[in-house]
Amino acid sequence: VMAEDKLALPFADADDLPTVLSATRLNQSLFDAPAAVTVIDRQMIEQSGVREIPEILRMVPGMVVGYESGSEAFVSYHGTSADLARRMQVLVDGRSIYQPLLASVDWIGLPVELADIERIEVIRGPNAASYGVNSFFAVVNIITRHPADVAGSSITLRSGENGIEDYHARVAQRDGNVDWRLSIAGRSDDGFVDNNRENDTDFTDSKSVDSVYGQGVWAVDANNSLEFGFGR
């Protein structure tokens, strides 16, 4: 009996066994998923202390994150096409935000703040190709928080060195059979401290990003619901 206890898998009897949705589009155990999946949950996001989505993706094995300037970030898997997002699909609640014309993802201008994200699931490797075009290397699925889980109102302000001035305001409530959430946010900073080019001339490196994101979930009946969202 003692030997069996020592050889038992972690989380084998835990009530909070990690589950994933993205690998097969079904709710299943992380250990049963037919792909290598990294899950960044709400607790990890809160404890990380980062301000932007690219920074939180540094936790994913094999993910390369960098900045071409203070306002332009790139994220790639295994460093391939580092300045572009080819072969890596990015989703918000299952909907692609990849820009095929530019072969990129606007990570900084994305109107989804970390405060509104419930979890991020990253499928690593060619098994992600089941999502179709541009998903051969990896799929990043950003899952936002359900309006019912953040009911009420909240305002968050952040200020720091290097011109950091952030704000986030959110209202969420239920009207009839519809749960809805509206978030307004902004991020600004002065960019890199040392931004000299080779010719010793400074270039504009600061950023100021304002965004709005709304989401609604209509419970049609006990077994069906309709979800809609918008952002800018």
Side-chain angles (χ1 to χ4, degrees):
V1 175
M2 293 178 62
E4 289 179 355
D5 289 340
K6 291 182 180 180
L7 294 176
L9 291 174
F11 307 110
D13 298 320
D15 295 332
D16 56 345
L17 186 70
T19 60
V20 295
L21 302 172
S22 302
T24 59
R25 298 181 176 89
L26 297 173
N27 191 356
Q28 64 184 156
S29 167
L30 180 62
F31 301 128
D32 295 333
V37 183
T38 296
V39 178
I40 303 175
D41 59 18
R42 184 67 213 156
Q43 183 178 4
M44 294 174 64
I45 294 174
E46 291 178 348
Q47 294 180 351
S48 67
V50 301
R51 301 172 55 227
E52 298 173 328
I53 294 177
E55 292 297 320
I56 200 72
L57 292 177
R58 293 183 187 273
M59 298 183 179
V60 180
M63 199 67 79
V64 177
V65 179
Y67 288 82
E68 296 182 3
S69 69
S71 58
E72 298 179 14
F74 61 82
V75 179
S76 65
Y77 188 62
H78 282 320
T80 55
S81 300
D83 58 338
L84 300 173
R86 295 194 182 112
R87 306 180 186 90
M88 187 180 76
Q89 184 63 269
V90 182
L91 312 168
V92 174
D93 292 331
R95 294 180 291 271
S96 175
I97 60 170
Y98 174 72
Q99 300 173 331
L101 184 62
L102 302 175
S104 64
V105 174
D106 186 7
W107 292 102
I108 301 300
L110 185 66
V112 178
E113 295 298 310
L114 288 173
D116 291 326
I117 296 176
E118 179 63 29
R119 58 199 277 128
I120 301 175
E121 297 182 358
V122 182
I123 308 175
R124 299 179 279 112
N127 282 345
S130 60
Y131 277 81
V133 176
N134 206 61
S135 59
F136 181 73
F137 281 154
V139 171
V140 179
N141 190 12
I142 301 170
I143 302 172
T144 60
R145 308 180 75 177
H146 193 284
D149 295 335
V150 290
S153 304
S154 66
I155 298 177
T156 303
L157 301 175
R158 178 191 293 129
S159 179
E161 296 180 351
N162 200 26
I164 292 178
E165 295 288 344
D166 299 346
Y167 70 90
H168 178 266
R170 179 176 60 213
V171 177
Q173 65 181 43
R174 182 179 180 87
D175 291 323
N177 293 330
V178 178
D179 291 296
W180 61 271
R181 169 173 57 85
L182 180 65
S183 297
I184 300 175
R187 282 175 283 111
S188 62
D189 57 57
D190 293 338
F192 299 145
V193 175
D194 183 8
N195 60 5
N196 291 332
R197 296 280 193 177
E198 294 181 357
N199 57 5
D200 295 328
T201 59
D202 292 341
F203 65 99
T204 302
D205 195 47
S206 61
K207 70 169 176 285
S208 179
V209 180
D210 296 300
S211 63
V212 58
Y213 187 81
Q215 181 186 29
V217 180
W218 174 32
V220 179
D221 53 42
N223 299 317
N224 298 283
S225 63
L226 177 63
E227 181 177 335
F228 55 90
F230 66 90
R232 170 168 190 159

